[in-house]
Structure formats: C-alpha cells, structure tokens
Amino acid sequence: MPLQYIFLSHDVDWRKQGPPKEHVLNRAERFDESTIRNIDSKNPYYNFPQYMEIEERFDARSTFFFRTKYENGDVTDYEDEISSLKKGGWEIGLHCDPSSIYDLAKIRQEKEILESLTRTKVFGNRVHYLGFNNELPKKLQELGFVYDSTVKNSKDQIIKEDFGFFQLERLFEFPITLMDAYMFTYMGLSEEQVLPVVQKALNESRQINASFNIMTIIWHDNVLQMKGGRMYKKILEFLTQQDDVKICTGINLVNILKNA
Ligand SMILES: [Zn+2]
C-alpha cells in the first residue's frame, strides 16, 4: 500500500496562444537556442501533448487548474485540451482569479464557465497567485467545491506545515509543498538541484509521517521547455520508482481520505 501520496498539479496561467513573442524573447536565457530560433512556428509555453505523454508513460495522472480569465485570451480556446485530458483520466480544476475571491457570485460564474467546458462538475480550486482569505473556504464549500489547494506557508523553504492536508469544515485543503516557480526564484535552485530537493522533500514527508503523508506539487504547464522546468520527466521517473509513493489527482486524494 502506498504511504506517501503526491498530489500532482499544473496551473494553466497563459492563454493557449501563449504570451506575446517579446515576453518570451525577454526571457530567452531560460530556453535552449533552438526553442528561441523556432519561436515563430512553435509557442514554447504550450506543452499539453508532452505532459500527457510523459504522465501516460509513468502511468500517473494529475490535475490541471484552468483560469477562466486570460489576458487577451479565452478559456474556450482550451476546449479540445480539456476534452482530451478528461477522456484520458486527468482532472480539471478551477484556477480562480484573485479578483473573484471576495465575491461568491464571481467564483460561481468562473465555476460555471469551466463546467460548461468540462461538461461535469468541478470539485477542486486553486487561486491564481495563491490569493486567499479566511472566508474563501466557506464560499468554495457553498459552491460545491470539495477541495482547495492554495495555501503555501513558506516560499523559500520546505516546511512541515506545507505537507499533508487539513479540513476547513468539509472542505479539504492541500497546502503546496513544492512549486516550480518558487524553486527557481525564492529557493534559488539551479537545474542540478531540482531532483535532490524533490528527494529531500520526500524524505521529510516520510519523516513527518512514515505511515501516511501527502506532498502537493505544482509544475506550471508553460515551463516544460525551460531550464529547470524541463526536469519534470526526471522528477516523475524518480517518484514512480519509489515503492511507497502514489501519484494522484486532487479529487482522487479526497476520495482516498473520505474512505480511509
Ligand atoms: Zn496561476
């Protein structure tokens, strides 16, 4: 029986067409030369087929959190991706806009927009930029969400409070243990340090609770071709080699916890 659960997730922060070319060129040092050379024909922020292929290869499934408000873009552009993900066993969650979180009606509207694309209920939420407030869990619960994964207690360290889960009434909250963006900014990691840090986090998870624990990981959908971000495959390879590790979506995890 797996003892260490990994809630694996991807936040879809950018519209399907990606950011303007200048945005990528201003960050050219993050990419291989060939990626930059091909930028006019291939948007390096678009990685859905690759993510699906990698996760299928390792027999892992994750949750993709979609925004409904994209700068100069439209979530309906992702209709085909959402449909393929759903068919393949991935979960679709809401990446709620930080401007919506104080207003029940705005969150409801976002949920309904996404549900019209998934054609099923959406159970999970994570707020873009990790916006949070104490009244949010109540609102999410009222709207039929069963879990949220927005809380992050430390940006630059791996700390005990960012493992596991807690419950806010009936709503499950999965704090974020590791996030790609913070690993390369606040934590200041180089590409070579990515895998050792994931290994270290897993060991801490085992030390905190050897018989059952949860680690929540965010790997943004747009970073797969970036230096550092391209370590994703190696991370999955490492995790799936561990006998005590099981990778799952947020809703899978909630069902495991409810039946425990
Ligand atoms: Zn985001």
Side-chain angles (χ1 to χ4, degrees), residues 42 55 93 145 175 192 199-200 208 237 246-247 251 256:
K42 207 166 164 287
E55 294 185 12
F145 287 99
E192 293 69 35
Q199 292 172 343
K200 184 172 163 248
I208 295 165
E237 188 177 27
K246 167 88 180 146
I247 293 174
I251 193 65
I256 290 164

Side-chain angles (χ1 to χ4, degrees), residues 28-58:
E29 78 287 349
R30 293 186 188 173
F31 296 92
D32 284 339
E33 272 174 57
S34 63
T35 307
I36 296 301
R37 217 181 307 127
N38 295 326
I39 189 161
D40 287 320
S41 56
K42 207 166 164 287
N43 161 21
Y45 277 33
Y46 184 82
N47 296 298
F48 284 90
Q50 293 90 325
Y51 268 111
M52 291 173 77
E53 191 198 308
I54 294 171
E55 294 185 12
E56 262 170 357
R57 194 186 314 158
F58 291 105

Side-chain angles (χ1 to χ4, degrees), residues 126 130 149-152 162 174-179 216 218:
R126 173 178 293 136
L130 310 186
S149 178
T150 300
V151 170
K152 180 138 185 59
D162 285 336
F174 298 109
I176 299 151
T177 317
L178 283 175
M179 166 159 71
T216 296
I218 305 181

Side-chain angles (χ1 to χ4, degrees), residues 178 193-206 215 238-239 241-242:
L178 283 175
Q193 291 170 302
V194 171
L195 202 55
V197 164
V198 174
Q199 292 172 343
K200 184 172 163 248
L202 179 61
N203 283 331
E204 280 190 40
S205 183
R206 289 166 172 146
M215 252 172 82
F238 163 73
L239 290 172
Q241 280 166 353
Q242 311 301 306

Side-chain angles (χ1 to χ4, degrees), residues 11 13 67 95 128-129 220:
D11 296 354
D13 280 356
R67 299 174 67 191
H95 200 32
H128 184 47
Y129 291 131
H220 283 81

Side-chain angles (χ1 to χ4, degrees), residues 48-80:
F48 284 90
Q50 293 90 325
Y51 268 111
M52 291 173 77
E53 191 198 308
I54 294 171
E55 294 185 12
E56 262 170 357
R57 194 186 314 158
F58 291 105
D59 199 20
R61 290 296 183 274
S62 57
T63 303
F64 283 78
F65 291 98
F66 283 85
R67 299 174 67 191
T68 66
K69 300 173 177 190
Y70 286 99
E71 286 78 24
N72 304 312
D74 188 339
V75 64
T76 61
D77 292 341
Y78 280 121
E79 192 166 7
D80 292 344

